[in-house]
Amino acid sequence: MSLHSPYCLHAAKMLVASTLWPMVAGLAWMAIAWPLSGHMTAIFGLVSGGIIAVTSAGFDVLIGPWKERTTLQWMNLWILHEGGRITTSLGVLILLYFAFSPDPGAFLFSYLLCALVTLTATTRIWTRAMRQERTPEEHTKAHQGEA
């Protein structure tokens, strides 16, 4: 296949990675923070995980990973997806911060943990789909600078 052959992403894997991993990271934050700092700091893990999970799932549905597109189109949608997810979730985080005035350090770092874990999980899905759609000859050309 070439860069111009359309393909679709694994929608189910994307939704699972976008919702499960931030919640797992939030639970890990909660498990570590509760004995160290108490329940008020620990709850931020679940809040941050929930914010990231909802915004990520929303942007997963928005881009429609079940539709066939070329690699160039997927690359542009990847930028839109990640930029929109991070911007929207940060906006919700800021609104919650000003509404409830929680501890800013704990809130920010729990958010960063959940966001980075989600970014890592979803990036693997995006890149794996893009790599699998190229033939071995295209991989060789790409590494030699011809493609």
Side-chain angles (χ1 to χ4, degrees):
M1 288 193 182
S2 71
L3 290 173
H4 303 293
S5 298
Y7 57 93
C8 56
L9 298 178
H10 300 284
K13 287 182 181 179
M14 280 190 65
L15 283 171
V16 167
S18 293
T19 55
L20 179 67
W21 284 106
M23 295 308 294
V24 167
L27 287 172
W29 174 275
M30 193 170 183
I32 293 168
W34 195 305
L36 296 175
S37 302
H39 73 284
M40 290 306 292
T41 302
I43 198 71
F44 295 136
L46 287 181
V47 172
S48 297
I51 292 169
I52 298 289
V54 169
T55 56
S56 293
F59 276 92
D60 287 349
V61 172
L62 182 68
I63 62 156
W66 53 85
K67 295 179 184 175
E68 288 192 349
R69 295 184 171 94
T70 63
T71 299
L72 186 59
Q73 291 171 322
W74 281 124
M75 293 165 97
N76 289 327
L77 284 173
W78 189 8
I79 295 168
L80 172 71
H81 179 270
E82 294 305 323
R85 179 181 64 83
I86 291 170
T87 304
T88 304
S89 61
L90 267 176
V92 172
L93 185 83
I94 290 169
L95 285 174
L96 288 176
Y97 173 74
F98 285 114
F100 299 108
S101 299
D103 176 31
F107 206 24
L108 178 64
F109 286 117
S110 66
Y111 167 80
L112 287 174
L113 172 71
C114 295
L116 289 175
V117 166
T118 306
L119 179 63
T120 303
T122 57
T123 298
R124 292 192 61 174
I125 293 168
W126 284 86
T127 56
R128 184 173 290 139
M130 290 179 195
R131 282 191 314 250
Q132 287 176 350
E133 292 305 317
R134 299 183 83 180
T135 64
E137 298 85 32
E138 290 171 330
H139 281 291
T140 304
K141 288 180 184 177
H143 288 293
Q144 294 173 350
E146 297 173 18

